[in-house]
Amino acid sequence: MAKPRIYATSFASVYPLYVAKAERKGRTKAEVDEVICWLTGYSSDELAAQLQKEVDFETFIAEAPRPNPDRALVKGVVCGVRVEEIEEPTMREIRYLDKLVDELARGKAMAKILRTA
């Protein structure tokens, strides 16, 4: 079975879309970065380095230094599919990120997005 095209897409090419989506709804790039760092365990500097290297999504996920154990608490539907039911690990991680950015853009409180409330 062929890997989804998103795996080969550079994370750096999608990142501005995440930021633009959040900013259209009054959120900030810093908040997008906070969500990404919470999910993956990248520091701000490590995230910047990954963006600079233009790694693909598969590498971005695979190299995540400290995936947050609470990411399994991310539930809901992205692109018509329940995130928690996605069996393929890399795709599930990508959809966790999509879901968190969606929650940010919808105005959800950061504490709830980061599953601390």
Side-chain angles (χ1 to χ4, degrees):
M1 183 165 105
K3 291 182 180 179
R5 289 179 69 182
I6 186 77
Y7 286 21
T9 302
S10 82
F11 179 74
S13 70
V14 177
Y15 174 79
L17 302 175
Y18 288 146
V19 172
K21 181 176 190 171
E23 287 178 341
R24 276 193 309 272
K25 300 295 185 165
R27 303 307 284 257
T28 66
K29 176 186 174 294
E31 288 174 309
V32 173
D33 290 354
E34 183 178 355
V35 165
I36 294 169
C37 292
W38 175 87
L39 180 67
T40 61
Y42 285 112
S43 68
S44 295
D45 289 341
E46 291 167 328
L47 174 59
Q50 291 292 74
L51 291 167
Q52 182 73 27
K53 290 191 301 188
E54 296 189 8
V55 298
D56 59 37
F57 256 100
E58 187 171 26
T59 302
F60 181 77
I61 297 300
E63 292 182 355
R66 293 166 300 285
N68 193 311
D70 287 342
R71 71 193 186 287
L73 299 175
V74 177
K75 310 252 189 250
V77 177
V78 174
C79 298
V81 178
R82 294 207 66 78
V83 175
E84 61 272 22
E85 294 174 2
I86 298 172
E87 292 185 24
E88 204 290 311
T90 302
M91 183 55 71
R92 186 175 49 247
E93 297 296 326
I94 292 168
R95 294 305 181 200
Y96 283 153
L97 180 53
D98 292 344
K99 181 67 176 164
L100 294 174
V101 173
D102 284 350
E103 290 176 357
L104 184 65
R106 281 197 314 257
K108 200 170 193 181
M110 189 59 83
K112 289 190 180 208
I113 296 168
L114 303 183
R115 300 339 195 231
T116 57

